[in-house]
Every structure is written in C-alpha cells, then in structure tokens.
C-alpha cells in the first residue's frame, strides 16, 4: 500500500465524518428557518463539504496520474474541472467534475493494469526460465 493511498483514505474518512456531523445538524423544515437563512447556510455548507470531497479525490488521482505518467486533463476544460468560489476558498482550487474524475480514474486504472500485465509476463517468463535451468542442472548432475 503506498503512502498516497493511505493519505487519501485518511482524508476521505475525515471528510465523511464531517459530512455526517453536518447532516445531523440539519435545520428543521419550517418557515422560520427558511426566512432567517438557516436552510441557505446549511445547503452552502453541504455544497462546501462535497467540494472538499471532490478536492481530496482530485488531489489523489492527479498524484497517481503524475506517478504513472498518465496525461492529466487540461484545467481550461470546463467539462473536466470546476472551481471553488473565492468566498469558500481564497486559492480557488480546481476540482474534477464527475466526468473528469471518471476519465482520470479510467486512465489510471488502464495504466496500472498495463503495468501489472507486463510484470506478470516477466514473472511467468522468469519462472519458466528458472524451472528449465533447474531441470537442466538436475539432468547434468545425474550424468
């Protein structure tokens, strides 16, 4: 298990715990909460929580793509990225949209599969070569 994945899992758990606590604090559905802005504030916090989750996923898959030398979608592509508003985060970071995340995940998975296939080929080839060598040594030693 690599360090990038461990960091990803820990951050996702922290975000999930925060989201669950936020859902427990949901305001009652009454006219007073609608008028005083409690619902707007709550939905804004939910949206921020989802953006936080998307940022965690984006960072993880971009780090994986860089490690595997997989091309990353351009930030200018609006179908692949969204941006956090300045009011929520002064850096206005980009995060992958559903389509962007799906595309990058598929690319990373394909590259990992390709590397596993290469490793499996070499493992089976070396196992066969070692077996043949042992057999040859056994035959030579009996002569």
């Amino acid at each position: 298990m690599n360090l990038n994945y461990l960091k990803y899992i820990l951050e996702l758990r922290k975000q999930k715990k925060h989201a669950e606590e936020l859902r427990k604090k949901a305001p009652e559905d009454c006219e007073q909460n609608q008028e005083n802005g409690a619902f707007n504030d709550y939905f804004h916090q939910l949206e921020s929580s989802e953006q936080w989750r998307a940022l965690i996923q984006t960072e993880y898959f971009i780090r994986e793509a860089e490690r595997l030398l997989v091309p990353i979608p351009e930030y200018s592509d609006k179908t692949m990225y969204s941006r956090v508003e300045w009011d929520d985060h002064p850096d206005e970071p980009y995060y992958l949209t559903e389509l962007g995340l799906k595309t990058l995940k598929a690319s990373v998975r394909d590259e990992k599969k390709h590397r596993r296939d290469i490793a499996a080929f070499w493992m089976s080839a070396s196992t066969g070569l070692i077996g043949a060598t042992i057999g040859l040594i056994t035959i030579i030693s009996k002569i």
Side-chain angles (χ1 to χ4, degrees):
M1 187 180 323
N2 69 29
L3 192 59
N4 185 30
Y5 182 72
L6 186 61
K7 181 180 177 185
Y8 172 65
I9 293 301
L10 292 174
E11 288 179 359
L12 270 183
R13 283 185 184 163
K14 189 187 315 180
Q15 188 277 334
K16 184 179 179 181
K17 183 178 178 182
H18 178 267
E20 288 171 356
E21 289 174 7
L22 184 62
R23 286 187 179 92
K24 288 178 185 176
K25 297 177 184 177
E28 288 184 34
D29 189 10
C30 64
E31 192 173 320
Q32 181 184 6
N33 284 337
Q34 291 177 1
E35 289 176 4
N36 69 11
F39 268 123
N40 287 340
D41 185 45
Y42 173 70
F43 287 121
H44 180 73
Q45 288 176 350
L46 274 179
E47 182 181 13
S48 294
S49 179
E50 289 300 315
Q51 286 176 347
W52 180 21
R53 183 173 184 261
L55 284 169
I56 292 169
Q57 290 175 323
T58 298
E59 289 175 9
Y60 170 72
F61 282 106
I62 286 178
R63 285 191 303 257
E64 281 294 296
E66 288 172 346
R67 183 178 67 82
L68 297 169
L69 302 175
V70 172
I72 299 168
E74 293 292 324
Y75 288 115
S76 59
D77 189 351
K78 300 288 184 194
T79 61
M80 296 291 180
Y81 288 97
S82 286
R83 199 165 192 179
V84 177
E85 293 181 16
W86 190 85
D87 295 340
D88 296 332
H89 198 292
D91 295 340
E92 295 184 26
Y94 287 96
Y95 61 91
L96 289 165
T97 61
E98 294 277 332
L99 176 63
L101 194 58
K102 186 177 180 180
T103 303
L104 193 55
K105 270 184 180 181
S107 298
V108 167
R109 274 194 207 115
D110 287 345
E111 182 62 26
K112 283 182 177 181
K113 182 181 182 305
H114 176 70
R115 289 181 182 209
R116 274 192 312 272
D117 290 346
I118 290 173
F121 169 77
W122 285 110
M123 286 293 290
S124 62
S126 62
T127 302
L129 185 60
I130 290 170
T133 304
I134 291 172
L136 186 61
I137 291 172
T138 304
I139 290 173
I140 291 175
S141 67
K142 291 193 178 194
I143 294 180

